[in-house]
Amino acid sequence: MRLELVDIEKSFGEKRVLKGISLTAEGGRAFGLLGRNGAGKTTTLRILMGVISSDAGKVLFDGRPEGLSSERFGYLPEERGLYPKKKIFDQLVYFATLKGMRTREAEKAVDYWLGRLGMSEYKNKRLDTLSKGNQQKIQLITALAHDPEIVILDEPFSGLDPVNARLLKDVVRQTIARGKIVLFSSHQMNYIEEFCDEIAILNGGKIVLSGGLDAIKRSYPRNRLAVRSLEGERIAADFGPACERISENELLLTLPDPGKKAETMKMLSEKYDIDGVSVSEPSLNDIFVQYAGGQE
């Protein structure tokens, strides 16, 4: 499967919100849509799902400009939207039927996902009796129960404790492995780095950086070495301004010539007691700040 947005434009009154957005997401891979608040992420997702229409451009699915029905999408919104006073099982079945499932089929799917997420014991309770993290797991079921082709996760790990975050990670990996198109929108860069093969960074309604995350990182000068050693103080003294102390036993060396990496690594291992040395790539957080730091 392939999902494409081609030259999407959108204005609200005189404010031009999207300025020619183009991106491609493929099945079996996760795509990260990043940007500061107000960059255009939410508008892009709403156009993608058909909630609002674009002023120009088109959305393609497997190369065809056909309308994408809501049944094809599973959406976990950042702002949760379930009924706090209703029984969990009843409303999950209701939402699944809205996505085209028959009642019996929906009940079976909801039972599966309640079990998968360790929530079966709460099926007949009201939503407002659950913790925030468990409410989020219930919201996730509304996005997955109807087995959509395209899954959009907006800040999916927000508010989850480490145990529930790990459970959600397993579900996301399973979804990707089944060939689904998974779109992430998040400010938690560590999760984007963990799951996403491709990213696009929006700034001021435009995509200012896009492509494979590994390729983007490798495009930066590879002239920094991350070093772990109990002799950090001695190494820092020897390298002077070229060395940055990250912690007591962690250092960052900046080389004048990237071609000297192998030679410097060899010298470090021979001269000092080294626990580890590797080429230091920029983190996604560093890249995000560089490209989205100045909102246009």
Side-chain angles (χ1 to χ4, degrees):
M1 294 185 290
R2 173 176 291 190
L3 179 67
E4 297 174 85
L5 274 66
V6 183
D7 296 327
I8 299 295
E9 302 266 351
K10 183 64 180 179
S11 297
F12 294 103
E14 296 183 355
K15 183 174 178 58
R16 194 176 173 209
V17 178
L18 299 181
K19 307 169 185 178
I21 298 296
S22 295
L23 59 86
T24 300
E26 297 184 350
R29 297 167 68 84
F31 188 100
L33 185 63
L34 311 176
R36 293 172 62 189
N37 294 332
K41 302 189 304 298
T42 300
T43 301
T44 300
L45 294 177
R46 287 176 176 172
I47 290 172
L48 172 61
M49 293 186 291
V51 176
I52 59 176
S53 59
S54 63
D55 298 330
K58 53 191 175 182
V59 178
L60 305 176
F61 187 72
D62 284 343
R64 297 186 297 273
E66 60 186 38
L68 290 171
S69 64
S70 64
E71 289 84 359
R72 282 181 154 170
F73 289 96
Y75 179 44
L76 175 67
E78 180 178 6
E79 298 297 330
R80 315 311 181 204
L82 298 180
Y83 300 110
K85 305 298 183 182
K86 298 293 184 181
K87 285 185 179 180
I88 289 167
F89 184 79
D90 292 345
Q91 62 177 309
L92 287 176
V93 170
Y94 169 70
F95 281 112
T97 59
L98 290 181
K99 291 291 188 177
M101 300 186 84
R102 295 181 178 179
T103 301
R104 186 67 61 84
E105 181 185 23
E107 290 174 344
K108 183 177 179 180
V110 168
D111 270 329
Y112 165 78
W113 280 107
L114 285 170
R116 177 72 175 82
L117 296 177
M119 299 297 293
S120 295
E121 64 183 289
Y122 303 108
K123 64 183 294 184
N124 292 316
K125 293 186 178 294
R126 294 188 338 187
L127 186 71
D128 60 3
T129 65
L130 271 58
S131 67
K132 181 179 179 181
N134 281 337
Q135 288 186 29
Q136 187 159 333
K137 289 196 288 184
I138 296 301
Q139 182 86 56
L140 177 64
I141 294 175
T142 67
L144 299 175
H146 62 290
D147 196 26
E149 295 169 291
I150 304 162
V151 179
I152 299 174
L153 304 173
D154 194 351
E155 297 293 354
F157 296 97
S158 177
L160 292 182
D161 61 58
V163 174
N164 281 326
R166 182 173 182 177
L167 179 59
L168 179 53
K169 287 181 183 183
D170 291 341
V171 170
V172 171
R173 291 190 183 97
Q174 179 186 41
T175 303
I176 295 170
R178 293 181 60 216
K180 307 295 186 179
I181 295 172
V182 177
L183 296 176
F184 274 90
S185 177
S186 179
H187 292 120
Q188 295 176 288
M189 298 299 155
N190 55 317
Y191 292 120
I192 298 295
E193 285 195 273
E194 184 171 350
F195 288 105
C196 294
D197 304 290
E198 306 277 332
I199 65 164
I201 297 177
L202 277 69
N203 192 346
K206 300 180 292 185
I207 292 180
V208 293
L209 180 70
S210 65
L213 184 53
D214 288 342
I216 289 172
K217 287 186 174 185
R218 292 190 66 85
S219 70
Y220 280 74
R222 301 177 65 77
N223 66 333
R224 299 193 303 172
L225 297 179
V227 181
R228 287 184 295 108
S229 173
L230 295 176
E231 295 190 81
E233 186 173 345
R234 179 184 167 207
I235 296 172
D238 288 348
F239 278 82
C243 179
E244 177 185 353
R245 296 289 295 272
I246 306 302
S247 67
E248 183 179 358
N249 299 320
E250 294 180 286
L251 309 99
L252 188 64
L253 303 182
T254 300
L255 309 180
D257 180 4
K260 299 289 187 180
K261 291 194 301 290
E263 178 183 330
T264 305
M265 286 177 165
K266 184 173 183 294
M267 181 273 291
L268 286 168
S269 64
E270 292 176 347
K271 187 174 180 181
Y272 308 98
D273 180 11
I274 299 296
D275 294 324
V277 58
S278 62
V279 176
S280 175
E281 295 180 329
S283 68
L284 180 54
N285 190 71
D286 295 333
I287 296 169
F288 179 83
V289 170
Q290 177 184 352
Y291 281 90
Q295 190 84 27
E296 295 183 5

